[in-house]
Amino acid sequence: AQTVTQSQPEMSVQEAETVTLSCTYDTSENNYYLFWYKQPPSRQMILVIRQEAYKQQNATENRFSVNFQKAAKSFSLKISDSQLGDTAMYFCAFMKPRVGAQKLVFGQGTRLTINP
Amino acid sequence: DGGITQSPKYLFRKEGQNVTLSCEQNLNHDAMYWYRQDPGQGLRLIYYSQIVNDFQKGDIAEGYSVSREKKESFPLTVTSAQKNPTAFYLCASRSSDRVAHGYTFGSGTRLTVV
């Protein structure tokens, strides 16, 4: 079974700083998807960024980018120029794109606080 | 606008009672999922359904039941057999032809045993 590990339960940075959240996963699959979801205090889950394992290029969405290291099974999220609105729980998630259930497996989450 | 609606937002259950959490989507998604969220444990899969009238157990199905009589609806019943039901419950759906886009989530239901 796939597992996803986020080793940083909590992080805190000053506004405008850059922060990196870590995620590692365990799988024997060669093709899969990886996601970062954000859960602000409202508790609504919001997709931040996604990466397809067969793509070499790291995904980027505005201030959010990933460092995908397939051999190391690592998928970290970098937030540049952090803003107060980035304060949230962040979850890393894994999905096998096999025909069928395509279940998302989540890490334990990292609570990120952006301080003014 | 299309989305997923979960109701109620807050739910209180007495010991020994069954309660049902509602999840409705108008995204025309085939697959629907129920997750439980506890502090420090991330999200854990309870049940999922890929098509109408079919569903499978997830990792923590004991004490829960579901039905999928309509494509749009996937209600979750928390039975009296669930010994620790206090948690935040999230419903999600996924398009069959846009797997790489991940899931769309509802806004959740907070269940508390009183």
Side-chain angles (χ1 to χ4, degrees):
Chain A
Q2 281 71 32
T3 58
V4 178
T5 302
Q6 294 178 247
S7 58
Q8 306 150 311
E10 295 189 25
M11 297 187 71
S12 178
V13 299
Q14 296 300 119
E15 191 176 9
E17 289 184 346
T18 294
V19 59
T20 299
L21 281 59
S22 301
C23 173
T24 58
Y25 56 94
D26 185 24
T27 185
S28 58
E29 302 285 333
N30 187 51
N31 190 26
Y32 46 86
Y33 300 114
L34 294 163
F35 304 86
W36 278 98
Y37 280 88
K38 168 184 177 180
Q39 187 181 44
S42 67
R43 306 202 77 171
Q44 177 71 53
M45 293 286 282
I46 302 164
L47 178 62
V48 174
I49 199 165
R50 62 176 181 264
Q51 176 79 42
E52 298 173 49
Y54 64 88
K55 291 187 177 179
Q56 300 279 356
Q57 187 172 5
N58 289 324
T60 300
E61 290 285 345
N62 300 313
R63 297 182 295 108
F64 299 87
S65 62
V66 298
N67 183 5
F68 173 50
Q69 301 289 329
K70 191 172 183 179
K73 297 179 183 176
S74 172
F75 183 60
S76 61
L77 174 69
K78 185 172 81 171
I79 305 174
S80 304
D81 186 26
S82 57
Q83 301 174 358
L84 297 178
D86 295 332
T87 292
M89 283 288 290
Y90 286 81
F91 292 97
C92 179
F94 172 99
M95 179 195 287
K96 290 188 298 185
R98 188 175 299 165
V99 174
Q102 283 114 10
K103 296 176 284 185
L104 268 177
V105 177
F106 288 87
Q108 305 93 321
T110 296
R111 183 176 302 279
L112 175 65
T113 301
I114 309 299
N115 299 306
Chain B
D1 289 339
I4 298 180
T5 302
Q6 288 187 244
S7 62
K9 190 174 180 68
Y10 300 96
L11 186 58
F12 298 90
R13 193 194 92 168
K14 294 182 180 179
E15 295 281 352
Q17 275 186 341
N18 292 355
V19 291
T20 298
L21 284 59
S22 172
C23 178
E24 303 276 336
Q25 55 100 357
N26 60 3
L27 299 164
N28 199 34
H29 286 176
D30 293 306
M32 297 186 74
Y33 305 81
W34 275 106
Y35 283 85
R36 170 178 172 144
Q37 185 177 10
D38 295 283
Q41 296 194 49
L43 280 69
R44 294 181 291 167
L45 182 64
I46 305 172
Y47 266 99
Y48 61 98
S49 169
Q50 298 173 74
I51 57 172
V52 174
N53 292 323
D54 186 56
F55 49 83
Q56 288 80 37
K57 294 181 180 179
D59 301 317
I60 55 165
E62 184 176 353
Y64 300 97
S65 66
V66 294
S67 63
R68 186 87 186 275
E69 298 177 0
K70 299 185 302 181
K71 187 176 185 178
E72 300 80 14
S73 179
F74 191 41
L76 173 73
T77 296
V78 184
T79 74
S80 57
Q82 171 48 239
K83 298 307 179 186
N84 185 23
T86 294
F88 187 67
Y89 292 86
L90 280 162
C91 179
S93 69
R94 174 186 57 74
S95 170
S96 296
D97 56 358
R98 302 184 76 182
V99 174
H101 289 233
Y103 293 0
T104 300
F105 284 87
S107 56
T109 293
R110 173 70 183 177
L111 174 62
T112 303
V113 173
V114 296

